[in-house]
């Protein structure tokens, strides 16, 4: 396994879905950042399920604990260990996997093979969406650091089960972003949010699931962030996003559809505005040559429909290589997109923060 | 800059479009691999332009030289330095950039800002497609190593300028792949290849350019390759692919369209075939939980229309912040997709090879 | 800070002397290693002070907890988080430092400057010998892994306060090593051990301290471990050992005295023994060209006299830049050498284990 | 192999003693540093042998070439490839090794075993002192960068064959350092330099060799450089120095002898001088807790007597495991200490430069 990410703002994550805890150690956070458990708890609460009809009924009352690296309310420069102890864990529903039935669309098979059957399969173990709690904890610190540079990291749902949010302008996003976490699907377009919700509920009733697309945005990113040719801004962000379970695609700016445009349509022309160079359009998504160009960074993340479905599926028992029917019980989100929104924010923030440190945008001691 | 990639099969690339050379050092190649300059030249020749109407007229007679790490025809375990000296370089056409005109869609602006104007802007310098020659050289070694495991890395054009190749089966791909490099657009569907070619020629006449989509495939990849949660197979591959200039999106298996499916449609059911576990469909693209599942790895790469177009464009002169018209002269491909096909192959091979070493699939000494 | 060590057996350490805990996350341990808290506790107990006259009177009843990565008594391949919660912490004695008096020979000054005064200075914080508990915990796992290869990692005190242990043969060491932890100074020469102990007690009475030399030995290390030219076996080990507070020098085999020999005296002649190539002498300390040669690896570590002494010392108050007298109260070892012995073992084991994994000596799944 | 060093000022070295070239790629050098081949040549010339009686008679007319990363006389931010093509290579004298005779004290045996006999053994191949030419080239750039911070990196011979230079003060060193390269043994004490020279000549006549000790010094290093707990200043420097063939020990400040002192003798008391905190003595060698304390950094490096001696030695033929007599012909330095002096300087400069970048002491763009 490789559970370390980052060069200057380095994180190492650990923990399992049904183990004792889920946590992260952050190494490289500058000294002098005001930080309390409450700061992190606020971000964690964004991924909290349980209050709605669509989310899994597991009550994650995740109480973040800071075990090191903070003294008198400020970061000390030492590594920061953050964790939440797991509560309300029911492993019985996972008996099927224990018996050897590998769930389609899940990592049960690959994890079994890679770790010789020694992996903790309960609740998906280290491959559960639960592990993204570590990302959100580390992301909370990254966001606080970026806030000092006035860099804003946002994410919102733009599509669920084929239902698309109205394409809104950045200005609207900036205005509406505070609403994102007010609706259950984390969508800035309140009208379509309702339809998305209905779509999820329908899938749930059918014992099925849906997927969707999340858009991540970074505002006020200065020109010059990114380390080509292998540490490109887009490359590192995509690597970070593929750490989120269920992600199957990542595109920047005009993305895949840009392949259908002519160069003359797709090129973003340079203009002068307020004595600064900007681009007229933003098909590049804020990145040229792997380096930020000062325009909003825009990335879209494809999330497949939840693999865990109530419907009966044919599968294989890995212990005897026989075909068997599988009916997954237990609590499962019919759509993980809404809960992945703060996770996309977190991974974006972590990646940008790492770049900001190596680009010397954030000093080693904060005042 | 960050010009190093990989952990066990590590490469460091260097060189500029109009500098003295383009090269790579490979550190971590096992000892005992038979290797000659001819082996590498063969891969290099795949990206050779000049023989067709659609490619830029620069004659890249790239003669690969091995400067270290090979003795008596075998790799020694020491770092392998490969390079091609640049010939036939015309820098006059780049005078405009020298005068301060930043080309839309190019890295001229971001590179200027990041490196304080010290960057070598000639021909795009370190941001030119030319640098992918390093990838292809390193990839040639990776492919030779993977061949020992019978792992095959392929790529082919599936779309150019909106024209899609017929979706073919893997069996057809395996049969037709040898044709890929026989047509100018590197497409396995010979019929659509002609239409793609026509599309490119049309764009060229209009002083414009087109983009497209390349599909990369890895065959015979064993189960268990990939190091979650941050060194996932998909995450590392996407990071590697974003190092290729012009890439705007990466998706695996069913990718973005999978977001419109139900879980019951998208899940790949497990089956037994020849006493091995396989999946009925391959929407996952061969990756579950960041780890290979033994099915063909399938990745698609979105390449934007070439930024360099003959058509006049408005831009900014970075030296005086005035708006100016830019007409790009010089040699430019109206579509870089065909030339990017061997580059996608190379980056895939490099990434897989790195994983194969850390997964102990390739021994440190070859016999 | 940089609290990560290793490439394949990677550890990230965290925690402070008087904070909530001291811990480590180990990423890269193969799946299938039998592991219990008791295994780790046994190594931890080797560094336990409190039972003797010479050690500081802090009772470290360190209860190791495994928070992740172990399931049903075996490692899962997932990261292993180990920690001990700090108990019996008295911070009052450190009031002086809080008031700004920087202790000579300590990191108070450099830590204050580097972290802008935000560092947790209590008990030395992140610069305390206490943090080596993390090393010992991680080392316990490394030792278990190495035991499968029959690689033995030992350490013993060879000099304290100028009193040298009799130079004993490797055979004697192998026989006597079990005694090492039976005397308070961790010395295999029981006669000199008494004199060393007397020396420490004398220093203590005088309000002073003494230093010494620890020898680390690795037995049964196969030929071929080490990754020149920058990942040499000696280079990585020395880097690892300098992480131990108080270390001022590291030498291998004949070390510094070898500089006074002639080449003809210092060269270890090759011989054949039992059809294997060995060397007649072992001046190289088991390393040639940064790679193990199959002979016992021998390294010696110079540890300075404990910086904390009861004697009054002149120093500076960093808050007002005035000279002041400092009298350090609190509990301090007059000699840290004995307690550093298991730490040297741990760092050696961690380093060798990392090499063994990258050299493919340890499989990714243990059976 | 692992031929990469550094995190922010990263170097990757390549080449063999009797191959085509020896070189290095430097990735991470800020843009805007004035740099010519002459700058690097000057440092290279310091390690030039051939003009004296004591050095090997190989004429290394090393002409440094810059292949990338420099444009119009300034670094561009892109990776800098430097190399020297090998000339005047005589491989005949190495026939013995080709026949299987492994030279005592050399890496012939370990390299053969580690690389399965595929390693290029000519002249020691990748294990030759020749490879340190890469270090000196990269070090030349590091020194130019450090010069901007007024950080001075020096080295001088303090002992050869048991003959010690008079211990001189730092003031004397500063004054005399320009003389160091004026005598053949690179010693600041001109009187003892003569005796050292005589010692080397004597050894040469006897067909034997001698070793010695080099002291490295870094002046004007600001407080706060070093990244504990694993990226300590002393740990990284020692790792860097063990990359130099023949190094068997590294100590800082009072080093090994400090183990015989009392704490009250060894502690460096803090004083105020010119409103800055300094220490009265410098037993710490400028490092406290792995971080620079503003005093001169002082490190000593033990270099074993040259392994290649003319005297006949018993050894083993690795091809048939028979004992055989070996008489090494060819050109060999009876003492490599003088030639290692600029190499110690280079490795120190590279390490400090890497730290200076990550500590944000050197900006990413130089003006």
């Amino acid at each position: 396994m490789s559970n370390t990410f980052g060069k200057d703002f380095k994180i190492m994550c650990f923990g399992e879905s049904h183990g004792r805890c889920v946590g992260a150690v952050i190494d490289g956070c500058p000294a002098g950042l005001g930080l309390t458990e409450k700061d992190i708890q606020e971000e964690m609460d964004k991924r909290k399920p349980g209050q709605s009809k669509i989310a899994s009924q597991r009550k994650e009352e995740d109480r973040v604990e800071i075990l090191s690296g903070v003294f008198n309310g400020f970061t000390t420069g030492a590594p920061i260990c953050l964790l939440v102890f797991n509560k309300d864990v029911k492993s019985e529903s996972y008996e099927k996997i224990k018996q050897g039935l590998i769930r389609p669309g899940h990592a049960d098979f690959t994890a079994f093979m890679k770790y010789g059957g020694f992996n903790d399969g309960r609740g998906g173990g280290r491959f559960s969406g639960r592990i993204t709690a570590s990302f959100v904890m580390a992301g909370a610190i990254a966001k606080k650091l970026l806030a000092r540079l006035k860099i804003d990291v946002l994410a919102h749902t733009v599509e669920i089960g084929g239902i698309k949010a109205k394409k809104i302008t950045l200005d609207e996003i900036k205005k509406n972003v505070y609403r994102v976490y007010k609706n259950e699907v984390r969508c800035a377009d309140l009208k379509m949010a309702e339809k998305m919700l209905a779509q999820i509920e329908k899938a749930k009733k059918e014992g099925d699931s849906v997927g969707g697309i999340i858009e991540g945005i970074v505002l006020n990113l200065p020109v010059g962030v990114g380390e080509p040719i292998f540490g490109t801004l887009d490359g590192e962000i995509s690597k970070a996003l593929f750490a989120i379970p269920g992600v199957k695609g990542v595109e920047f700016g005009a993305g895949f559809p840009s392949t259908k445009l002519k160069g003359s349509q797709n090129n973003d022309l340079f203009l002068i505005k307020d004595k600064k160079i900007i681009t007229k359009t933003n098909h590049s998504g804020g990145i040229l040559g792997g380096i930020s160009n000062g325009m909003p960074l825009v990335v879209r993340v494809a999330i497949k429909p939840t693999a865990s479905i109530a419907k009966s599926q044919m599968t294989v028992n890995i212990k005897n290589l026989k075909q068997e029917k599988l009916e997954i019980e237990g609590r499962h989100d019919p759509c993980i997109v809404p809960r992945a929104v703060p996770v996309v924010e977190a991974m974006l923030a972590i990646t940008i923060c790492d770049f900001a440190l190596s680009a010397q945008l954030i000093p080693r001691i904060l005042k």
Side-chain angles (χ1 to χ4, degrees), chain A residues 75-90:
Chain A
T75 58
T76 62
I80 303 167
C81 182
L82 302 172
L83 58 73
V84 290
F85 284 100
N86 288 329
K87 284 166 192 162
D88 185 32
V89 170
K90 287 187 197 155

Side-chain angles (χ1 to χ4, degrees), chain A residues 308-356:
Chain A
S308 291
I309 55 175
K311 271 188 182 172
S312 163
Q313 298 172 92
M314 275 309 290
T315 189
V316 164
N317 189 316
I318 204 167
K319 305 220 165 155
N320 56 23
L321 292 193
K322 294 236 165 94
Q323 300 269 155
E324 246 178 87
K325 239 186 211 165
L326 169 75
E327 267 155 52
I328 300 174
E329 293 156 25
R331 304 157 304 195
H332 298 288
D333 292 356
C335 180
I336 57 166
V337 176
R339 296 189 63 186
V341 168
V343 183
V344 167
E345 274 184 27
M347 290 313 294
L348 273 175
I350 289 165
T351 315
I352 300 291
C353 191
D354 190 39
F355 276 118

